[in-house]
């Protein structure tokens, strides 16, 4: 990997990949060149890592937009050009969106690695139960956030997980020690990358984290992250068990949103019952040009209603979340006082139910799949009971694939769903394109530095043409 030099103010002031400087907001006052000495140093580092995870370079815009603009859900506007190279699949190794996703992902990974080290050092010095509990909370969150970051980063820079792809290239694994300047590194296999993600999740479970807010890693949304990871690994038994732990938990087992509450949750930055893991924004975040809201607003990004609209039955109230006349999503319309601000729902309860339904269907558990599927499907008023749902494995899986579009459109899942299920779609004008083998290139600035030379050599040959 290129020279990794990290200075922290907040979590990180800059990550320099040999001539490639990425500025990070200077928020929490923590100097990463010095050991963490207090509980406050550790919590500051955690808040900074979370801020970077939720920033536009990573989950706050770029990863989510890539999942839809590079799929068949959304299209960038030629009149503004924003995200156009991604939407049209004309990106290359120098594309800015890919470069900052790679850099930002490793900023978070390094921040979490340092945070774990710092929390353990401070733990050895504190004596009060309150301080020890705070550090324990932080440790689970660092491990969970690091696992989540590796997972989302792998969906961009690695191929979809499968027995065929598992021996191929994964990510550079930063484990207990930070990569030193000019240190030669190699990418792991995809299989080892996923094994490490699960190792991080299992390590996180060993800490008794008292956090309950969906705006941070907590014991329940950690299970949701695991469920999603295992679904992508095609470990359907594991995905089913993890998803079931979420939906049957005391936090979520009674959640049953009415239409008005479901529609209203997109116009608030408060916590809502559907939140499982959510990036919270505030009216003074001032993301402006870098917000998903702006990408779909003044930058004129549209949704492909020719493809999407036929999937919605008459009366399905989820269709109220797009403006058919303007081909716009209304999920990112902002709050009444801040047009550029919307929470980013990384994992909602609806998705966890859909994970459970898909995993159960794959295992042939039709009745269990139907029961889980009903949670979202009844948003179509014609569906009121499991008897209204498909009754065979094949038909259920087809319905679930379409239900994921109806429920999760413009939330950043579509391309990754197409890849992991080996499905076909019309992408960048090419009909019946199968993106199973697609992968984005490692940024040229990373490869050219000479400390990591393992490019995804076949990325250009697997584009829609």
């Amino acid at each position: 990997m290129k020279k990794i030099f990290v200075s922290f103010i907040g979590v990180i002031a800059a990550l320099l990949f040999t001539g490639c400087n990425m500025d990070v907001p200077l928020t929490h006052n923590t100097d990463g060149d010095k050991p963490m000495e207090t509980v406050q140093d550790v919590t500051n580092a955690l808040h900074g890592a979370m801020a970077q995870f939720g920033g536009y370079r990573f989950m706050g815009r770029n990863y989510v937009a890539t999942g839809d603009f590079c799929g068949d859900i959304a299209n960038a506007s030629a009149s503004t050009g924003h995200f156009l190279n991604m939407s049209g699949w004309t990106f290359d190794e120098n594309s800015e969106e890919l470069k900052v996703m790679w850099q930002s992902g490793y900023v978070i990974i390094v921040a979490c690695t340092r945070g774990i080290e710092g929390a353990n050092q401070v733990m050895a010095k504190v004596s009060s139960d309150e301080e020890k509990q705070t550090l324990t909370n932080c440790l689970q969150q660092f491990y969970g956030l690091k696992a989540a970051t590796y997972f989302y980063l792998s969906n961009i820079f690695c191929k979809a997980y499968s027995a065929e792809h598992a021996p191929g290239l994964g990510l550079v694994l930063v484990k207990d020690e930070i990569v030193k300047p000019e240190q030669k590194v190699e990418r792991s296999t995809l299989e080892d990358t996923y094994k490490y993600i699960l190792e991080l999740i299992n390590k996180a479970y060993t800490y008794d984290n008292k956090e309950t807010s969906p705006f941070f890693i907590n014991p329940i949304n950690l299970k949701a992250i695991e469920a999603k990871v295992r679904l992508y690994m095609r470990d359907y038994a594991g995905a089913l068990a993890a998803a079931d732990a979420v939906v049957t938990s005391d936090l979520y087992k009674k959640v049953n949103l009415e239409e008005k509450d479901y529609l209203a949750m997109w116009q608030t930055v408060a916590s809502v019952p559907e939140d499982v893991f959510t990036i919270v924004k505030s009216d003074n975040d001032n993301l402006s040009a870098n917000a998903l809201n702006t990408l779909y607003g003044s930058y004129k990004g549209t949704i492909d209603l020719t493809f999407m609209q036929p999937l919605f039955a008459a009366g399905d109230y989820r269709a109220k979340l797009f403006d058919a006349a303007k081909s716009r999503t209304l999920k990112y319309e902002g709050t009444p006082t801040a047009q550029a601000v919307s929470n980013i729902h990384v994992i909602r309860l609806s998705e966890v139910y859909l994970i459970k339904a898909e995993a159960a269907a794959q295992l042939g558990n039709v009745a269990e799949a139907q029961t889980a599927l009903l949670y979202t499907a009844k948003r179509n008023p014609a569906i009121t009971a499991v008897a209204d749902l498909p009754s065979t494995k094949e038909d259920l899986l087809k319905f679930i694939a379409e239900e994921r579009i109806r429920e999760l459109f413009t939330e950043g899942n579509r391309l990754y769903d197409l890849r992991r299920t080996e499905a076909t779609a019309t992408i960048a004008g090419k009909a019946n394109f199968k993106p199973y083998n697609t992968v984005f290139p490692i940024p040229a600035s990373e490869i050219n530095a000479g400390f990591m030379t393992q490019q995804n050599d076949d990325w250009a040959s697997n584009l829609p043409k």
Side-chain angles (χ1 to χ4, degrees), residues 281-355:
K281 300 297 180 181
S282 62
D283 282 359
N284 62 1
D285 272 355
N286 193 27
L287 290 175
S288 62
N290 295 320
L292 265 171
N293 306 47
T294 306
L295 193 58
Y296 283 110
S298 57
Y299 290 161
K300 300 181 180 179
T302 59
I303 54 177
D304 189 345
L305 290 179
T306 302
F307 162 64
M308 280 181 50
Q309 210 161 15
L311 298 176
F312 290 83
D316 190 325
Y317 59 75
R318 292 171 294 189
K320 294 180 180 180
L321 288 172
F322 56 76
D323 180 344
K326 297 181 179 179
S327 296
R328 284 184 58 186
T329 179
L330 301 181
K331 289 184 176 180
Y332 304 107
E333 287 291 283
T335 69
T337 54
Q339 189 176 19
V341 172
S342 292
N343 286 352
I344 307 297
H345 300 278
V346 179
I347 303 178
R348 290 192 290 114
L349 185 59
S350 289
E351 183 180 0
V352 182
Y353 271 106
L354 288 169
I355 290 172

Side-chain angles (χ1 to χ4, degrees), residues 182-199:
E182 302 188 7
Q183 177 182 338
K184 292 273 189 179
V185 295
E186 292 186 356
R187 295 170 66 181
S188 68
T189 64
L190 182 59
E191 181 176 20
D192 284 343
T193 296
Y194 269 81
K195 282 182 179 178
Y196 185 55
I197 292 168
L198 292 177
E199 181 183 319

Side-chain angles (χ1 to χ4, degrees), residues 22 34 71 106-107 110 157 166 200 204 250 270 308 313 400:
M22 187 190 73
K34 298 178 182 178
Y106 276 100
V107 165
V110 169
F157 296 107
L200 290 167
D250 289 341
M308 280 181 50
I400 291 167

Side-chain angles (χ1 to χ4, degrees), residues 59-373:
M59 292 302 295
R61 186 194 69 179
N62 283 2
Y63 177 89
V64 175
T66 298
D68 292 313
F69 280 83
C70 291
D72 52 359
I73 293 292
N75 297 295
S77 170
S79 66
T80 65
H82 289 275
F83 236 77
L84 189 62
N85 69 326
M86 299 296 286
S87 180
W89 288 74
T90 58
F91 54 79
D92 60 23
E93 301 100 319
N94 297 302
S95 291
E96 185 69 13
E97 294 87 352
L98 296 174
K99 181 172 69 175
V100 298
M101 275 193 282
W102 174 271
Q103 292 175 336
S104 188
Y106 276 100
V107 165
I108 303 160
I109 287 165
V110 169
C112 291
T113 306
R114 286 191 180 275
I116 291 165
E117 179 184 43
N120 284 320
Q121 290 172 344
V122 176
M123 183 76 81
K125 298 188 295 184
V126 300
S127 56
S128 77
D129 290 342
E130 182 179 1
E131 288 179 310
K132 289 180 178 179
Q133 184 60 63
T134 298
L135 292 169
T136 299
N137 292 352
C138 289
L139 280 163
Q140 184 182 84
Q141 291 178 63
F142 278 128
Y143 277 109
L145 188 62
K146 187 174 180 180
T149 302
Y150 264 120
F151 170 67
Y152 291 115
L153 202 62
S154 73
N155 284 333
I156 300 294
F157 296 107
C158 307
K159 290 186 177 181
Y161 191 94
S162 67
E164 178 187 6
H165 291 162
L169 288 171
L171 295 172
V172 176
L173 301 183
V174 180
K175 294 192 174 182
D176 298 330
E177 295 183 1
I178 307 301
V179 177
K180 297 178 176 61
E182 302 188 7
Q183 177 182 338
K184 292 273 189 179
V185 295
E186 292 186 356
R187 295 170 66 181
S188 68
T189 64
L190 182 59
E191 181 176 20
D192 284 343
T193 296
Y194 269 81
K195 282 182 179 178
Y196 185 55
I197 292 168
L198 292 177
E199 181 183 319
L200 290 167
I201 291 172
N202 287 330
K203 182 67 175 178
Y205 287 142
T206 67
Y207 294 97
D208 182 24
N209 178 15
K210 302 298 186 183
E211 181 62 67
T212 58
S213 169
F215 301 146
F216 289 90
I217 299 290
N218 64 53
I220 301 301
N221 64 30
L222 189 60
K223 279 289 182 185
I225 293 168
E226 181 189 352
K228 191 161 184 172
V229 170
R230 290 191 182 277
L231 182 73
Y232 277 55
M233 293 180 72
R234 311 186 193 201
D235 173 9
Y236 300 118
L240 178 60
D244 189 61
V246 177
V247 302
T248 60
S249 69
D250 289 341
L251 282 175
Y252 297 108
K253 64 184 178 183
K254 294 182 180 179
V255 175
N256 186 16
L257 290 189
E258 299 292 332
E259 176 180 347
K260 62 181 179 60
D261 297 321
Y262 181 83
L263 298 176
M265 76 177 181
W266 302 98
Q267 281 79 47
T268 181
V269 293
S271 178
V272 298
E274 268 260 326
D275 284 325
V276 176
F277 183 29
T278 298
I279 297 166
V280 64
K281 300 297 180 181
S282 62
D283 282 359
N284 62 1
D285 272 355
N286 193 27
L287 290 175
S288 62
N290 295 320
L292 265 171
N293 306 47
T294 306
L295 193 58
Y296 283 110
S298 57
Y299 290 161
K300 300 181 180 179
T302 59
I303 54 177
D304 189 345
L305 290 179
T306 302
F307 162 64
M308 280 181 50
Q309 210 161 15
L311 298 176
F312 290 83
D316 190 325
Y317 59 75
R318 292 171 294 189
K320 294 180 180 180
L321 288 172
F322 56 76
D323 180 344
K326 297 181 179 179
S327 296
R328 284 184 58 186
T329 179
L330 301 181
K331 289 184 176 180
Y332 304 107
E333 287 291 283
T335 69
T337 54
Q339 189 176 19
V341 172
S342 292
N343 286 352
I344 307 297
H345 300 278
V346 179
I347 303 178
R348 290 192 290 114
L349 185 59
S350 289
E351 183 180 0
V352 182
Y353 271 106
L354 288 169
I355 290 172
K356 182 178 178 180
E358 183 176 342
Q362 289 284 5
L363 293 169
N365 300 338
V366 170
E368 188 171 12
Q370 289 174 317
T371 301
L373 183 55

